[in-house]
Amino acid sequence: MTKQDKSFQADAGLGKALDLLRQPTAQQQPLPKSLTAQGIGEEAALSLLAPYVFGEASYLDSPTALAHMDPPTPWITWATSLWNARLNQNLLHPATAPFARQAEEIVMAWLAPWFGMQGGHMCSGSTLANLTALWAARDAGKVDQIIASTSAHISIAKAANILGLPYKQVATNAMGQIDPAKVSELGDLSNACLVLTAGTTATGVIDNLALVGKAKWTHIDAAWAGPLCLSEKYAGLLAGMELADSVAVSAHKWLFQPKDSALVMFRQLELANLAISFGGGYLAAPNIGVQGSRGAAAISLLATLLAWGKGGLAQRIEQTMSMSHTLAEALQQETDVILLAMPTTGVTVFRPTNISTEQLYQRLPAGMLSTCIVEGEDWLRSVAANPMADMDKIIDAIRKALP
Ligand SMILES: Cc1ncc(COP(=O)(O)O)c(C=O)c1O
């Protein structure tokens, strides 16, 4: 006889979950101190948790949120995330994700050409995307060392460590771009993987992409700024990327996707896939990449691309770029502020001259700005990832916080 367990069926409580999402109110009640013998039921559990989950969240869509490479997500992805949780597809097996695997193929076929790549797969973040690309560089590209700048993300150092490859870091200019002269000084790169960053974590600058192709394998860590290639206005900033061997992009950054969502893409897909595939006896299709079981992040990305089109996505990226320019121009007017440089990819870095960076940071609303270190000095940093930001409010708050 079929078992009926209401916990696994669509229930009226789902409506309650949506009500709590729309109107997250109510007082926090204490959470049990330890695992209780009896549960309180789904609806009561949601009511108990909502004041914590919603009450103590950092709201990335707040009018003053402009601090991190973490965007708010469009509501269509809230819906697809719910669908994904209900279906719990596993992209590891064709049988457990018939449409979800297709969705990923569609998303890749639509996006990869804009990055100059043949295709690839999704994974849970650019840390993994970078590791996967460098694994392909080692085993398909036969490289025996990794070179990146001192501004490269820590995930490159982690990948080199995991892969057992020597890691050399090259000096940058004051903005954090790799110094091409220092790369030349390294001499023979015919067995090296050169990692260039498109949108460094601290200052958002793009390494000189004329360096693409100077080593045996070039990987571009475009975790942050990669999506600029979808904007006609800004794609030129990434000219040369199409000659790279691999590209990593975090979809949960400037593609406005819920975590965990990233793309690793290759110019010669088959060559790369051969090196990073394992086909255990129990698998109907080879397991490509680092992760085994993984979810259907592609469905949320596909839904967003369908809803917005390339134009809608580009419009939001351009809108956030213009927010960073507005902020930088306003900061240029302030006599007691040093602007590091005009932002290239929506990251604005500045510091006050008459109080410390930390003091100014403390005077601003939480979630408005973050901090970073550039050439040993503390700076304030804004990342324009929030299309809902109110620039007048943000600029006004900074002006008021300055002594
Ligand atoms: C340039 C760069 N690469 C890689 C990463 C790691 O990405 P993720 O957090 O998606 O693992 C980040 C994260 O901020 C980044 O800025």
Side-chain angles (χ1 to χ4, degrees):
M1 205 174 73
T2 316
K3 288 252 175 16
Q4 292 296 328
D5 182 336
K6 288 202 179 316
S7 288
F8 292 90
Q9 295 170 338
D11 182 270
L14 279 172
K16 166 116 187 172
L18 282 185
D19 291 344
L20 288 167
L21 181 148
R22 285 201 189 92
Q23 275 188 319
T25 48
Q27 199 72 20
Q28 288 182 355
Q29 303 297 329
L31 290 168
K33 292 257 183 292
S34 59
L35 178 62
T36 55
Q38 300 295 323
I40 55 176
E42 280 82 357
E43 282 201 41
L46 288 176
S47 299
L48 179 62
L49 270 183
Y52 288 95
V53 174
F54 291 101
E56 297 182 27
S58 160
Y59 281 86
L60 304 172
D61 59 346
S62 144
T64 57
L66 214 65
H68 298 285
M69 293 175 168
D70 291 290
T73 49
W75 71 262
I76 193 166
T77 66
W78 311 350
T80 49
S81 297
L82 190 63
W83 293 0
N84 278 348
R86 184 261 178 264
L87 294 166
N88 204 20
Q89 304 288 279
N90 186 352
L91 270 81
L92 181 58
H93 309 293
T96 54
F99 179 70
R101 280 175 67 114
Q102 253 187 66
E104 188 166 300
E105 281 166 22
I106 296 170
V107 161
M108 271 296 165
W110 288 1
L111 290 181
W114 294 101
F115 295 84
M117 299 290 114
Q118 272 184 354
H121 63 270
M122 295 189 72
C123 53
S124 70
S126 282
T127 296
L128 271 193
N130 284 334
L131 172 63
T132 312
L134 297 184
W135 176 18
R138 189 190 68 179
D139 291 356
K142 308 290 179 212
V143 305
D144 59 15
Q145 58 171 320
I146 295 173
I147 295 161
S149 86
T150 48
S151 299
H153 189 259
I154 49 162
S155 54
I156 306 300
K158 285 193 214 173
N161 197 303
I162 293 167
L163 294 167
L165 293 174
Y167 181 43
K168 276 191 199 141
Q169 283 189 288
V170 176
T172 67
N173 63 19
M175 280 297 295
Q177 289 164 302
I178 197 164
D179 182 342
K182 298 275 185 230
V183 176
S184 299
E185 278 170 24
L186 294 173
D188 181 18
L189 299 180
S190 61
N191 282 323
C193 171
L194 177 63
V195 178
L196 301 173
T197 309
T200 55
T201 314
T203 59
V205 288
I206 299 174
D207 280 337
N208 185 340
L209 298 185
L211 290 169
V212 175
K214 299 281 185 223
K216 178 84 184 292
W217 186 287
T218 312
H219 171 63
I220 303 199
D221 176 1
W224 165 246
L228 284 174
C229 71
L230 297 162
S231 149
E232 275 174 35
K233 193 167 172 190
Y234 294 112
L237 289 173
L238 297 170
M241 176 168 65
E242 68 285 356
L243 301 173
D245 298 281
S246 52
V247 175
V249 178
S250 284
H252 57 215
K253 297 193 194 315
W254 232 349
L255 291 175
F256 304 100
Q257 292 304 292
K259 293 172 189 69
D260 306 304
S261 185
L263 308 149
V264 57
M265 294 172 282
F266 299 97
R267 188 162 48 82
Q268 293 176 271
L269 182 62
E270 235 183 86
L271 175 89
N273 277 355
L274 270 175
I276 58 167
S277 297
F278 278 77
Y282 78 107
L283 295 174
N287 177 198
I288 302 172
V290 178
Q291 283 174 273
S293 295
R294 63 186 173 87
I299 297 215
S300 296
L301 186 50
L302 179 56
T304 309
L305 295 176
L306 280 170
W308 290 357
K310 178 170 172 275
L313 194 51
Q315 176 255 312
R316 284 157 177 103
I317 292 169
E318 287 167 15
Q319 183 193 341
T320 51
M321 279 286 273
S322 95
M323 287 173 172
S324 70
H325 296 145
T326 303
L327 175 60
E329 279 155 20
L331 292 168
Q332 274 180 325
Q333 314 282 311
E334 297 297 319
T335 45
D336 298 329
V337 163
I338 299 173
L339 181 70
L340 182 67
M342 282 307 280
T344 28
T345 70
V347 181
T348 312
V349 178
F350 68 98
R351 65 184 167 84
T353 54
N354 50 6
I355 50 169
S356 73
T357 294
E358 178 61 22
Q359 279 170 322
L360 182 54
Y361 177 74
Q362 291 301 339
R363 289 179 186 188
L364 292 166
M368 182 181 281
L369 298 175
S370 50
T371 56
C372 65
I373 297 176
V374 179
E375 299 210 304
E377 273 195 282
D378 292 332
W379 295 76
L380 285 157
R381 165 181 175 265
S382 154
V383 182
N386 174 17
M388 310 274 280
D390 179 335
M391 294 317 296
D392 291 337
K393 250 193 182 153
I394 290 173
I395 291 164
D396 192 48
I398 296 173
R399 285 204 173 118
K400 285 194 174 125
L402 284 165

